[in-house]
């Protein structure tokens, strides 16, 4: 896989390789989060933090990791939408949206790494799929998304172990086959999602998307 050629100057602020980006440069990354520095300043929870002083390396931030992980995107004119693809597809470019969602920033190494996932699954009474089938479904989804699988937990005790993996930094996300896997009652589902978020992680899975404000409001309304 060919690397992106070096560019002598930043396309935004025009500093040379090894020189520090201008303060208002919209290419410069935040050394704390890995995202664009101007994006941090626009967010309520990170507007006041120190983004550091990034230097122009000759390559766009995040592009090398997106190519390494095989995360590119290309416009499909027939479908009128962007579609995931591999870096060898002509006309494609690095999928930075996927990188920001499915990778974690390593500030010491100043690079992105794949998010680490642990699977949580439990048997559902009356369900047609076995716990083995549900777990395998989660495994396939993790592979498709590009997460790094680091563990698997089953049942009530397994849930505590999954949250502990997040709290200790062993994992970044808990993957579940479905929302129903999180509990029998709505309150238990929301409490488990909140526990993962409080430990610093996220709950993910096929057709599972958690919005922080929704979870918070539903718990408060119980």
């Amino acid at each position: 896989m060919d690397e992106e050629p070096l560019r002598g100057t930043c396309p935004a602020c025009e500093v040379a390789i090894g020189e520090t980006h201008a303060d208002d440069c919209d290419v410069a990354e935040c050394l704390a989060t890995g995202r664009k520095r101007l994006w941090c300043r626009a967010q309520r929870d990170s507007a006041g933090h120190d983004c550091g002083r990034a230097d122009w390396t000759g390559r766009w931030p995040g592009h090398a990791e997106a190519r390494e992980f095989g995360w590119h995107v290309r416009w499909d004119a027939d479908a009128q939408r962007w579609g995931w693809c591999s870096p060898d597809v002509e006309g494609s470019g690095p999928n930075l949206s996927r990188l920001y969602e499915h990778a974690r920033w390593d500030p010491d190494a100043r690079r992105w790494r794949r998010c680490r996932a642990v699977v949580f699954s439990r048997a559902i009474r009356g369900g047609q799929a076995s716990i083995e089938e549900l777990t395998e479904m989660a495994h396939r989804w993790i592979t498709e998304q590009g997460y790094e699988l680091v563990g698997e937990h089953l049942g009530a005790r397994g849930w505590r172990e999954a949250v502990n993996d997040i709290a200790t930094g062993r994992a970044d996300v808990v993957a579940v086959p479905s929302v129903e896997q999180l509990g029998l009652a709505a309150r238990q589902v929301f409490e488990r999602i909140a526990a993962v978020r409080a430990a610093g992680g996220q709950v993910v899975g096929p057709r599972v998307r958690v919005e922080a404000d929704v979870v918070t409001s539903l718990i408060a309304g119980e």
Side-chain angles (χ1 to χ4, degrees), residues 1-218:
M1 186 184 300
D2 296 333
E3 288 189 353
E4 204 173 71
L6 289 174
R7 179 167 179 155
T9 59
C10 170
C13 67
E14 300 185 346
V15 296
I17 294 175
E19 293 182 350
T20 302
H21 286 286
D23 186 61
D24 61 349
C25 179
D26 61 5
V27 170
E29 73 270 38
C30 168
L31 300 186
T33 68
R35 291 174 176 259
K36 295 293 182 66
R37 194 164 64 195
L38 293 185
W39 185 91
C40 284
R41 294 176 181 176
Q43 306 308 304
R44 183 171 55 186
D45 60 347
S46 58
H49 78 184
D50 183 7
C51 289
R53 303 293 295 174
D55 298 334
W56 172 242
T57 65
R59 294 191 175 92
W60 283 76
H63 282 205
E65 292 95 322
R67 290 181 64 82
E68 176 187 333
F69 301 156
W71 296 351
H72 264 219
V73 66
R74 183 177 184 273
W75 177 253
D76 186 329
D78 294 331
Q80 289 295 296
R81 62 181 178 83
W82 293 96
W84 289 4
C85 64
S86 61
D88 58 0
V89 174
E90 186 177 356
S92 69
N95 189 346
L96 295 183
S97 294
R98 186 179 182 186
L99 184 76
Y100 295 156
E101 183 174 355
H102 294 167
R104 57 189 172 87
W105 176 249
D106 183 339
D108 294 328
R110 193 177 161 181
R111 59 156 291 153
W112 291 92
R113 303 191 186 280
R114 294 176 187 269
C115 277
R116 299 156 299 186
V118 290
V119 172
F120 170 74
S121 189
R122 68 181 183 87
I124 299 178
R125 186 175 301 173
Q128 295 181 350
S130 68
I131 192 168
E132 291 81 9
E133 292 171 323
L134 291 169
T135 303
E136 180 58 32
M137 180 197 305
H139 283 196
R140 289 196 302 270
W141 184 83
I142 285 171
T143 300
E144 292 168 357
Q145 298 301 306
Y147 292 117
E148 177 188 353
L149 179 63
V150 296
E152 177 184 309
H153 303 295
L154 307 176
R157 178 177 296 179
W159 175 255
R160 292 192 293 272
E161 293 170 345
V163 175
N164 186 63
D165 281 344
I166 298 294
T168 59
R170 179 172 182 257
D172 304 293
V173 299
V174 177
V176 296
S178 66
V179 172
E180 290 78 11
Q181 290 289 300
L182 288 171
L184 298 173
R187 185 178 184 86
Q188 184 179 37
V189 171
F190 300 137
E191 286 178 345
R192 285 185 165 181
I193 291 172
V196 172
R197 294 185 64 84
Q202 300 287 344
V203 174
V204 299
R207 301 179 302 280
V208 175
R209 189 168 186 85
V210 178
E211 300 293 343
D213 292 342
V214 173
V215 173
T216 301
S217 63
L218 285 173

